[in-house]
Amino acid sequence: MTSIGGAQMVDWNLAVATATRLVRPGPDISREEARAVVAELRRHAKASEEHVREFTRMIPEGTEPEDTPVLVVDRPGWIKANVAGFRELLKPLLAKMEGRRSGGPGGAVLGAVGGKVTGVELGMLLSFLASRVLGQYETFAPATRELPASANGGGRLLLVAPNIVHVERELDVDPHDFRLWVALHEETHRTQFTGVPWLRDHLQGEIQTFLDETDVDPMTFLERLREAAQSLSGGRPEGEQGESGSRSLVDIVQTPAQREVLGRLTAVMSLLEGHADYVMDGVGPGVVGSVSEIREKFQQRRAQGAGRLDQALRKLLGLDAKLRQYKDGEKFVRSVVDEVGMDGFNRVWTSPNTLPTKAEIARPADWVARVHRKAES
């Protein structure tokens, strides 16, 4: 636990227990079918390595990057993995907030609220997300007995089997093609981090700078977390919208210095997500027979959400911004590859200085001018 003097801002164990208890059950599937799905996802993850490396040309031929494990998990497994990651990344922020809680005027109230209430509320949010994520490359994952990671202390690929089965049925697409299509996207993220050794440390440094700059009142943080949890549980009347209802959780921790960091993080995440979508579509026609149908139906699902409650939560949690990252990033990658080719695009991975800015994501020609024409002059 992140604690000072025995007090806890978040009871992580209770967050796991709450999310695991509240998460929706997976699709109806026999044990034999489940085993077959797990085996097929592992095969697709392995096959995707060769497809992605050949298409992206990010990893020089004859070299072998550090291996990272592929884990096919259920919804509780995803919850445990993500709580471990959150716990690791948020340590500095929660320690800082704990100090303010102890000495500030809201200390008594926060002491009554306690880490257990916060753990329950975080668990409620994770239970919502756990039924929606298809796959994830965990960049900062601490290794555990149940959830191994790469030797350097971070990196594992998660494929959430029940969610993949649920979506393939919902979209009414070929399940074997859909599973490979998902694996291609997630394998691209693994290739990004294993093929670009400095990327993980750079991203972690940016996130820690963002958290170090946070100057947020603990009561405000808990209030926003509670709003999200109440929306999920129905505790907040549908349609009730105040000023805070139009903001995401990220908005409460934006000082001027943080806005600069957040701009850089947004650009990097747009690049990574857009690149994965571009690769998935580029490789798809050669190995996924029904890729056009899958892409069309999946894009419709992404844009529509599951209803008013789902849309409200997506906005509150900042998931709408993630959807824009997919679209803007994919346009950037496509435009750059069209102009300078794949090898020219791959200059983006040279160093942090060659990553696109937030403005360049929207104007790819500016990135080409800065990185290519300046180098050639």
Side-chain angles (χ1 to χ4, degrees), residues 95-157:
K96 186 175 183 178
M97 290 172 61
E98 183 64 54
R100 292 192 61 175
R101 181 179 82 169
S102 301
V109 177
L110 283 169
V113 172
K116 292 192 179 300
V117 174
T118 310
V120 168
E121 291 166 344
L122 179 59
M124 293 172 69
L125 294 179
L126 287 170
S127 72
F128 168 80
L129 295 172
S131 61
R132 284 158 172 76
V133 176
L134 301 181
Q136 173 183 355
Y137 184 78
E138 282 202 296
T139 315
F140 312 110
T144 66
R145 182 182 301 175
E146 291 180 325
L147 297 164
S150 64
N152 68 357
R156 58 184 168 224
L157 181 61

Side-chain angles (χ1 to χ4, degrees), residues 260-312:
E260 295 184 16
V261 180
L262 189 61
R264 295 195 299 268
L265 280 171
T266 299
V268 174
M269 297 311 297
S270 296
L271 170 68
L272 298 180
E273 296 293 357
H275 183 237
D277 265 13
Y278 178 81
V279 172
M280 182 170 59
D281 288 345
V283 174
V287 297
V288 181
S290 58
V291 64
S292 297
E293 177 190 4
I294 291 173
R295 183 66 162 158
E296 181 180 358
K297 290 183 175 180
F298 193 78
Q299 287 288 67
Q300 291 174 355
R301 182 182 185 274
R302 236 186 211 173
Q304 293 172 356
R308 292 181 64 186
L309 175 60
D310 185 74
Q311 291 169 5

Side-chain angles (χ1 to χ4, degrees), residues 335-351:
S335 296
V336 172
V337 172
D338 286 348
E339 184 166 351
V340 297
M342 183 62 75
D343 291 333
F345 166 78
N346 280 340
R347 287 196 190 181
V348 78
W349 312 117
T350 303
S351 75

